[in-house]
């Protein structure tokens, strides 16, 4: 990851956030198609939920009647039995309805999660490199996991709890008011206090929680870097010092957590406190009213039961508003992702099924990355005839990789600057261009599947013979056969760990199997030693007779056989020619060449470096 | 994404009934037993307070509200008295709750901090072979997420579990005391509920586990797809990738629906049990009232207590799965703590004084993996003050020689001697003090440049100034905003690779070791830094026994002797000139590139075509 990349991404997020401050709820339209699609399921679910609430509220009425009967001495054993039977009948109905709403409503949120996740991934797959440079893998992962899960929580349990709490709360208040409205007013008097305090505390809670998470990632990074450099730490006897630093970081983490606990230690018992205060009010004033005969004993008991019923909605409301807040923020971020449009798209009406032979022309190509003033490529002109081998050399940062990326159609280029078989690539569909190129990147990405899967991922129809053939050409076959499961060996965390050189050779084999007219190897053999690199390049060259090859290497020697070599420096082509022509010129190429082949003396080197 | 680590291994770890595990946990808790007991005590107060409230309401009803024998004024003032007690208990409960959260957080965090620190110190002590076998990502997960997991258990489970258990017992006791016949009848429900809860707990655990594994799979897949997006797009694998993802997503969805079904059955079932209990109270309790065995207040209290009774039972199953996952984390942590992969150190190590610096490898054989020897019967000597260069292809065993000399490992066969004494007789820390190691990788601790040079040493300003000059850091230090006090590393300035190299030399010079080991790497540095490094190397090599893994020709030529390594053995040795004249492996290595080029063999002696 480039050091600059991260700050870019954060500032991008900040800008995005500022722009979105207007109305994050607009993001809700992302889920509206699903609300429509599942409207019957949702309606039935909520009806069941409300029915459950209603039935639950009936129970205290029955208890009230029973208590009144008992107090009035009207109760008989049979009558009580009837009351009990009614309660059980209601309970069974509640249980059934509950099961129904859980399946319907929570099931909806899970379906929504699944659809959104599929949609996000299918959208991500269409986005171009510019996007992936702005957003780190971690950020995208966070969207597909944490953000999606807060949306699921908000639309599942959140929505349920909101409807439930609102209905239960209002109904309980209604029932209480039906018994006595003055007592009801007194009972709910402390509740606004809860709302105010909750608001006040939650903003602090969020801030301190963020602080805890930041410290946690500092701690994580510290552990990671310590164990990555364990050899040096041991060599310098720094174990004690490292442990001391870790201790200080950990102590800060403990302190941050305590500061957080001070807030939630107040916030969570608060709803209980307020609920109990209401109970206290009802106990005294309601009790006095009962003594004075204004309400019956049954009324009093029912009142208390209703108050107990209010505790849940009161606790839920704070929780729910928090869930919604998070859900909407997350949805907003997901929305922003779904709104991303790739700058790179197939032109309308591009012909399909064109076959490319492999001649490449580059006409005064200049290129700078989006939002960066510096040009990475300056006025590059190059003709690569079909079937030739072009070597590209140059220092890190000279623009070699960028050139490869542009050829492979990973960034948009101005019209008329890159032509394939004489046609402007902007007039060809993405699939046509990409389908013509087999690309081997510097950083090899393999998938946690079998070796055979990884080699044949571009051509599922490849035969075993073909797979082995390319593995041989990439000089990896013998090593694969030496593994316990041969080509079926799994790669990755649960499988074998491959060396850098093995990974690169697999990537070469994978590209060879594609059998496309153009192959680009972007310093794809940096991890093997020079001798092997050269042998592989030779074998590729003979394997790919008639294909156009572009091979980038930071080492010059392996490219000595190339039909043409271009030397890049600061985005320009500074020299070009065959190996012997370039050596004769005694220019930049020759300097680097002798430097690398270790045959020049150190003083000569210094002199040359100064001269250039 | 460290989060995905670990989930795969969860399957058979951490049985709740594992007594040994609990005992080991208790060892960490023991130093804080007073605080933990205080937290438990406070939570008892909270429980007692919440249990006292229904009882107070019952007393208020029976003694005052429904008591017709007293005058109205007496009843009201009695009610006021009880209400005030009620209010006091609410406040005590709230305060105790707050304190309990803080105390528990404090103790829990301290315990976790101790555990984390313990593990960090322990891991640092382990052999390097341990780090070869364990990916850094996993170790980081142990120290961060796994510890966090255990912490969750501490605060949200252990105390609440204890608390809930006491609450259930407390409620049963109060109910029994108020009316034992009714309580006995109600306790018929207990075994039924116990069976349901246990059965459900098992199902829920499986359901959660399935969800977690499937989610981990999804995350791993997204991570791979995002980091491999370029390849996917260039290979035109978008549709195929999406199809595979959709399958994974559907599997995950099914596991979430399964979990909804489980909970959809259990929660209503517990609810029904609650209502059956309620019906029993009304029916049987009502009959008791008719027969004057019980008061109306007690009936109300019974109803209230039953509500309190069912709450913990509903939560029990969820907590069960937290404990489950925490136990798995604990087991993984303890497995690491049990690893005893430490080099044997003599209890009476030989004291190192006035080291001459004579190194002798005698018939050393070494292998990292059994059956794959890296060094084969290797013998050589380095005389005091001599500079020895190691040359050879990657994998020829150069770095392993350094690892053995630093005593990161002990040789399988043969012996390594320093001034004639076997390395096994030294304390590795004292030994490493005598060896200065410079590698391509430089670890920077978050702190000032000064701290980074000195690490655990002390030096006055003059000494430091000299070090900075010798290591060619002056130019850099002068450019830095706060000179030597400038903060670098995490949260400070970033140094370039070349600057870090110079820093590494300053470190070595500050230590003034008798032996210098230089794992020279040709990092990508500009020519100015290259020259500075050159000079720093010169300063570091002066008057010291040195072993250099050399890439720079200047270093190789400066060496008194060159060992050419191939597959763990020495194939040639001598000075640069001798070896070039020999026209053997060394000659081949050096002129390899030319040989592979257009047969332009450059004459031995390292003369490049002169440029002028």
């Amino acid at each position: 990851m480039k050091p600059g990349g991260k700050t870019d991404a954060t500032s991008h997020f900040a800008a995005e956030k500022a722009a979105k401050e207007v109305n994050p709820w607009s993001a809700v339209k992302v889920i509206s198609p699903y609300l429509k699609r599942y409207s019957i399921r949702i309606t039935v679910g909520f009806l069941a939920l409300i029915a459950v609430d209603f039935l639950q509220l009936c129970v205290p009425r029955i208890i009230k009647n029973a208590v009144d009967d008992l107090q009035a001495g009207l109760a008989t054993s049979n009558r009580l039995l009837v009351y009990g039977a009614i309660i059980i009948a209601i309970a069974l109905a509640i249980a059934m309805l509950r099961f129904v709403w859980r399946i319907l409503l929570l099931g909806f949120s899970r379906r929504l999660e699944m659809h959104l996740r599929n949609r996000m991934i299918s959208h991500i797959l269409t986005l171009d490199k510019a996007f992936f440079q702005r957003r780190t893998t971690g950020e995208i992962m966070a969207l597909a996991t944490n953000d999606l899960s807060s949306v699921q929580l908000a639309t599942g349990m959140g929505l349920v709890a909101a409807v439930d709490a609102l209905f239960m709360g209002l109904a309980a208040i209604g029932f209480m008011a039906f018994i006595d409205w003055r007592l009801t007013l007194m009972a709910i008097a402390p509740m606004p206090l809860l709302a105010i305090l909750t608001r006040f505390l939650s903003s602090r809670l969020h801030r301190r929680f963020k602080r805890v998470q930041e410290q946690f990632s500092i701690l994580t990074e510290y552990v990671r870097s310590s164990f990555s450099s364990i050899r040096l730490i041991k060599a310098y006897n720094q174990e004690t010092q490292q442990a001391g630093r870790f201790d200080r970081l950990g102590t800060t983490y403990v302190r941050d957590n305590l500061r957080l606990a001070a807030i939630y230690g107040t916030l969570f018992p608060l709803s209980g406190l307020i609920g109990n205060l209401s109970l206290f009010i009802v106990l005294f004033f309601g009790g006095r009213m009962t003594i004075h005969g204004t309400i019956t004993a049954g009324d009093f008991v029912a009142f208390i039961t209703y108050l107990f019923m209010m505790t849940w909605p009161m606790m839920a409301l704070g929780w729910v508003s928090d869930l919604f807040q998070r859900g909407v923020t997350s949805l907003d971020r997901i929305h922003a992702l779904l709104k991303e449009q790739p700058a790179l798209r197939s032109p309308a009406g591009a012909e399909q099924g064109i076959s490319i032979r492999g001649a490449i022309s580059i006409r005064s190509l200049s290129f700078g990355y989006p939002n960066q003033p510096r040009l990475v490529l300056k006025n590059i002109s190059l003709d690569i005839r079909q079937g030739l081998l072009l070597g590209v050399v140059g220092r890190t940062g000279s623009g070699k990789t960028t050139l490869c990326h542009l050829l492979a159609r990973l960034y948009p280029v101005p019209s008329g600057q890159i032509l394939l078989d004489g046609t402007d690539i902007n007039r060809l569909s993405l699939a046509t261009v990409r389908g013509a190129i087999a690309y081997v990147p510097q950083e090899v990405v393999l998938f946690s599947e079998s070796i055979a899967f990884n080699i044949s991922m571009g051509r599922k129809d490849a035969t075993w013979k073909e797979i082995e053939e390319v593995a041989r050409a990439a000089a990896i076959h013998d090593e694969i056969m030496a593994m316990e499961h041969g080509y079926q060996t799994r790669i990755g965390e649960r499988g074998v760990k491959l060396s850098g050189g093995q990974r690169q050779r697999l990537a070469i084999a994978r590209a060879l199997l594609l059998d496309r007219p153009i192959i680009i190897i972007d310093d794809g053999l940096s991890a093997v030693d020079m001798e092997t690199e050269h042998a592989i390049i030779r074998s590729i060259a003979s394997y790919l007779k008639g294909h156009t090859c572009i091979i980038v290497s930071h080492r010059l020697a392996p490219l000595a056989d190339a039909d043409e070599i271009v030397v890049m420096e600061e985005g320009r082509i500074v020299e070009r020619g065959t190996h012997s022509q370039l050596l004769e010129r005694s220019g930049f190429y020759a300097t680097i060449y002798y430097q690398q082949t270790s045959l020049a003396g150190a003083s000569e080197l210094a002199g040359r470096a100064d001269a250039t | 994404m460290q989060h995905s680590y670990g989930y795969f291994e969860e399957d058979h770890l951490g049985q709740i009934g594992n007594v040994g595990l609990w005992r080991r946990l208790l060892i960490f808790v023991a130093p804080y037993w007073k605080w933990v007991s205080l937290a438990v005590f406070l939570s008892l107060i909270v429980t007692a307070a919440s249990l006292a409230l229904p009882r107070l309401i019952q007393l208020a009803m029976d003694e005052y509200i429904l008591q017709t024998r007293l005058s109205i004024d007496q009843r009201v003032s009695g009610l006021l008295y009880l209400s005030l007690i009620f209010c006091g208990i609410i406040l005590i409960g709230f305060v105790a709750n707050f304190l309990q959260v803080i105390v528990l957080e404090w103790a829990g965090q301290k315990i976790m901090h101790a555990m984390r620190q313990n593990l960090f110190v322990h891991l640092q002590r382990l052999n390097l072979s341990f780090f070869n076998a364990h990916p850094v990502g996993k170790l980081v997960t142990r120290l961060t997420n796994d510890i966090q997991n255990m912490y969750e258990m501490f605060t949200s489970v252990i105390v609440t579990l204890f608390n809930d258990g006491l609450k259930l017992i407390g409620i049963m006791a109060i109910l029994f005391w108020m009316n034992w016949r009714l309580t006995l009848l109600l306790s018929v429900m207990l075994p039924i509920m116990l069976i349901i809860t246990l059965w459900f707990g098992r199902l829920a655990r499986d359901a959660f586990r399935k969800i977690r594994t499937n989610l981990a799979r999804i995350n791993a897949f997204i991570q791979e797809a995002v980091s491999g997006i370029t390849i996917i797009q260039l290979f035109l694998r978008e549709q195929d990738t999406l199809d595979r993802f959709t399958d994974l997503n559907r599997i995950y969805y099914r596991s979430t629906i399964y979990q909804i079904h489980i909970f959809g059955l259990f929660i209503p079932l517990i609810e029904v049990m609650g209502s059956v209990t309620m019906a029993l109270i009304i029916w049987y309790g009502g009959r008791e009232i008719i027969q004057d065995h019980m008061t109306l207040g007690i009936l109300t209290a019974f109803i209230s207590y039953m509500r309190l009774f069912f709450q913990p039972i509903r939560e029990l199953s969820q907590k069960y799965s937290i404990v489950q996952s925490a136990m798995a984390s604990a087991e993984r942590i303890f497995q690491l703590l049990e690893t005893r992969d430490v080099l044997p150190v003599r209890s009476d190590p030989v004291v190192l004084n006035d080291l001459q610096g004579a190194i002798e490898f005698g018939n050393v054989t070494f292998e990292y993996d059994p059956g794959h020897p890296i060094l084969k019967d290797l013998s050589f000597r380095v005389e005091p003050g001599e500079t020895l260069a190691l040359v050879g292809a990657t994998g020829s065993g150069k770095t392993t020689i350094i690892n053995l000399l630093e005593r990161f490992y002990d040789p399988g066969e043969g012996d390594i001697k320093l001034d004639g004494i076997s390395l096994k007789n030294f304390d590795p820390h004292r030994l490493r003090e005598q060896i200065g190691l410079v590698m391509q990788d430089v670890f920077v601790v978050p702190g000032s440049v000064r701290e980074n040079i000195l690490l655990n040493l002390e030096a006055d300003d003059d000494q430091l100034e000299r070090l900075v000059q010798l290591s060619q850091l002056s130019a850099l230090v002068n450019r830095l905003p706060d000179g030597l006090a400038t903060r670098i590393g995490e949260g400070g300035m970033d140094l370039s690779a070349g600057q870090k190299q110079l820093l590494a030399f300053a470190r070595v010079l500050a230590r003034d070791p008798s032996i210098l080991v230089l794992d020279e790497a040709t990092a990508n540095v500009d020519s100015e830094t290259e020259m500075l490094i050159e000079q720093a190397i010169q300063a570091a090599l002066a008057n010291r026994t040195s072993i250099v893994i050399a890439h720079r020709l200047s270093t190789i030529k400066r060496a008194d002797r060159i060992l050419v390594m191939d597959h763990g053995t020495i194939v040639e040795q001598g000075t640069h000139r001798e070896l070039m004249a020999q026209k053997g492996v060394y000659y081949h290595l050096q002129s390899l590139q030319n040989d592979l080029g257009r047969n332009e063999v450059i004459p031995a002696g390292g003369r490049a075509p002169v440029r002028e």
Side-chain angles (χ1 to χ4, degrees), chain A residues 77 111 125 127 145 231-232 234 236-237 239 241 243 247 257 264 396 448-449 530 598-599 608, chain B residues 105 109 113 117 124 126 219 224 233-234 244 253 287 403 429 437 441 456 524 553 593 606 611:
Chain A
S77 186
R111 269 168 201 255
L125 286 169
L127 293 175
T145 54
R231 205 156 86 108
L232 280 165
K234 281 176 177 286
Y236 280 87
N237 288 322
E239 291 97 328
Q241 281 73 21
D247 188 49
N257 267 300
Y264 70 68
T396 314
S448 305
E449 305 270 351
M530 185 143 32
S598 302
L599 287 168
R608 278 172 201 286
Chain B
E105 179 81 17
Q109 287 288 349
H113 178 71
Q117 198 62 25
Q124 272 198 344
L126 292 179
N219 289 349
E224 276 196 358
Q233 290 180 344
L234 290 178
R244 288 199 296 145
Y253 164 75
R287 281 197 348 189
N403 284 342
H429 288 281
L437 173 67
D441 176 33
N456 52 336
N524 248 311
L553 189 70
Q593 296 95 333
R611 193 178 168 208

Side-chain angles (χ1 to χ4, degrees), chain A residues 264-432:
Chain A
Y264 70 68
T266 324
L267 187 61
F268 294 126
L270 201 64
S271 55
L273 177 74
I274 301 287
N276 283 335
L277 275 181
S278 295
L279 204 56
F280 157 73
I281 291 170
V282 169
L283 175 64
F284 179 68
F285 294 100
R288 210 173 56 176
M289 287 163 94
T290 318
I291 293 171
H292 289 298
T294 325
I295 56 175
T296 66
D299 286 337
F300 178 75
V301 175
F303 223 99
I304 287 179
T305 320
Y306 284 126
L307 262 185
F308 272 118
M309 280 190 165
M310 293 275 302
T311 5
W312 148 244
M314 272 172 43
M315 283 190 339
L317 280 180
W319 181 66
V320 160
S321 72
D322 191 50
L323 268 189
F324 278 171
Q325 202 71 49
R326 282 167 199 251
V328 168
T329 320
S330 291
L331 200 57
D332 192 33
R333 278 200 282 265
I334 292 172
H335 184 48
L337 172 77
L338 292 177
K339 272 198 309 201
E340 290 274 357
Q341 289 297 332
L344 205 59
R345 263 185 288 189
S346 296
E351 269 183 68
Q352 300 295 318
I354 302 172
S355 70
I356 299 288
R357 275 174 298 113
I360 303 169
S361 322
I362 301 173
R363 308 254 165 89
S364 21
L365 170 67
S366 292
F367 178 80
Y369 286 101
N371 307 324
Q372 280 173 19
R374 202 170 64 91
L375 282 182
V376 185
L377 292 178
K378 298 165 195 157
N379 202 20
I380 304 270
S381 289
L382 202 55
D383 266 301
I384 309 157
R385 271 182 293 136
Q386 193 257 322
L388 290 194
L389 172 70
L390 176 79
V392 181
V393 297
R395 284 190 221 264
T396 314
S398 58
K400 304 177 306 253
T401 297
T402 308
L403 183 63
C404 295
H405 282 172
L406 293 187
L407 286 175
R409 210 72 179 98
L410 289 174
Y411 292 96
V413 281
S415 288
Q417 298 194 338
I418 299 179
L419 297 94
L420 271 188
D421 289 353
T423 313
D424 182 356
I425 53 168
N426 282 343
R427 288 173 46 211
L428 297 168
S429 73
L430 285 181
T432 304

Side-chain angles (χ1 to χ4, degrees), chain B residues 365-377:
Chain B
T365 297
F366 180 76
E367 52 191 27
Y368 294 104
D369 303 319
H372 296 97
I374 299 293
L375 299 181
K376 297 167 197 155
D377 198 25

Side-chain angles (χ1 to χ4, degrees), chain B residues 283-555:
Chain B
W283 172 67
Y284 189 82
R287 281 197 348 189
E288 292 272 291
I289 293 176
I290 297 171
Q291 291 159 13
D292 258 344
H293 292 308
M294 203 169 104
T295 65
L296 204 49
I298 287 180
L299 185 81
T300 318
F302 254 93
I303 293 173
S304 304
Y305 279 122
M306 279 332 282
R307 277 187 200 285
L308 288 175
F309 193 83
F310 278 94
Q311 199 183 2
I313 291 185
R314 280 171 66 161
E315 290 167 8
L316 206 66
S317 45
Q318 268 133 322
K319 282 172 186 161
Y320 183 81
S321 75
I322 298 181
V323 177
Q324 175 69 37
S325 123
M327 291 302 274
S329 287
E331 186 151 353
R332 285 196 287 264
I333 288 169
F334 287 130
Q335 272 174 2
L336 273 191
L337 279 174
E338 261 165 26
T339 317
R340 287 275 165 266
D341 200 358
V342 186
L343 281 179
V345 178
R346 268 180 60 163
S347 52
D348 52 339
V350 173
V351 186
L352 284 160
N353 277 329
D354 294 329
L355 208 63
Q356 298 294 308
I359 302 165
E360 187 184 349
F361 273 61
N363 307 96
V364 170
T365 297
F366 180 76
E367 52 191 27
Y368 294 104
D369 303 319
H372 296 97
I374 299 293
L375 299 181
K376 297 167 197 155
D377 198 25
L378 187 77
S379 300
F380 66 88
R381 272 183 67 85
V382 191
E383 303 302 332
E386 190 186 18
T387 298
L388 181 78
L390 299 176
V391 175
T394 321
S396 58
K398 294 169 299 188
T399 304
T400 306
I401 290 180
I402 291 177
N403 284 342
L404 292 179
L405 181 63
E406 288 269 6
R407 218 186 152 205
F408 290 144
Y409 307 89
D410 281 332
E413 284 165 45
D415 200 11
I416 302 166
K417 286 177 180 160
L418 188 57
D419 284 0
I421 303 165
S422 168
L423 290 189
K424 286 175 188 158
N425 294 321
F426 298 123
D427 173 354
H429 288 281
R430 299 287 86 77
L431 172 70
R432 288 169 197 163
E433 271 172 13
Q434 299 296 328
I435 304 175
L437 173 67
V438 179
M439 285 178 23
Q440 181 183 22
D441 176 33
V442 180
F443 82 106
V444 175
V445 300
S448 66
V449 177
R450 187 194 165 95
E451 283 171 71
N452 265 287
I453 294 175
L454 294 178
L455 294 173
N456 52 336
L457 301 179
E458 304 267 324
D460 58 39
D461 287 348
D462 289 345
Q463 286 169 313
L464 201 64
E465 184 58 35
R466 212 174 53 81
L467 282 174
V468 167
Q469 259 171 20
L470 267 177
S471 57
Q472 310 299 325
L473 268 174
S474 315
L476 169 68
V477 169
N478 290 336
R479 268 206 306 275
L480 290 175
D482 300 318
L484 282 171
T486 311
R487 287 186 63 83
I488 54 175
E490 189 79 19
M493 276 189 56
D494 261 341
L495 296 185
S496 74
Q499 290 164 337
K500 282 189 197 165
Q501 283 273 290
L502 295 178
L503 176 69
F505 282 109
R507 270 184 197 162
V508 165
L509 292 171
R511 275 160 182 70
D512 192 22
S514 339
I515 296 169
L516 178 77
V517 173
L518 184 58
D519 195 342
E520 186 190 63
T522 38
N524 248 311
V525 294
D526 57 80
S527 48
E528 186 203 357
T529 315
E530 176 76 40
M531 289 204 355
L532 293 177
I533 291 178
E534 198 68 51
Q535 283 161 28
I537 291 180
Q538 212 157 346
L541 289 177
N543 308 321
R544 259 184 264 275
T545 310
S546 313
I547 296 185
V548 182
I549 295 180
H551 293 281
R552 287 182 184 78
L553 189 70
S554 56
T555 322

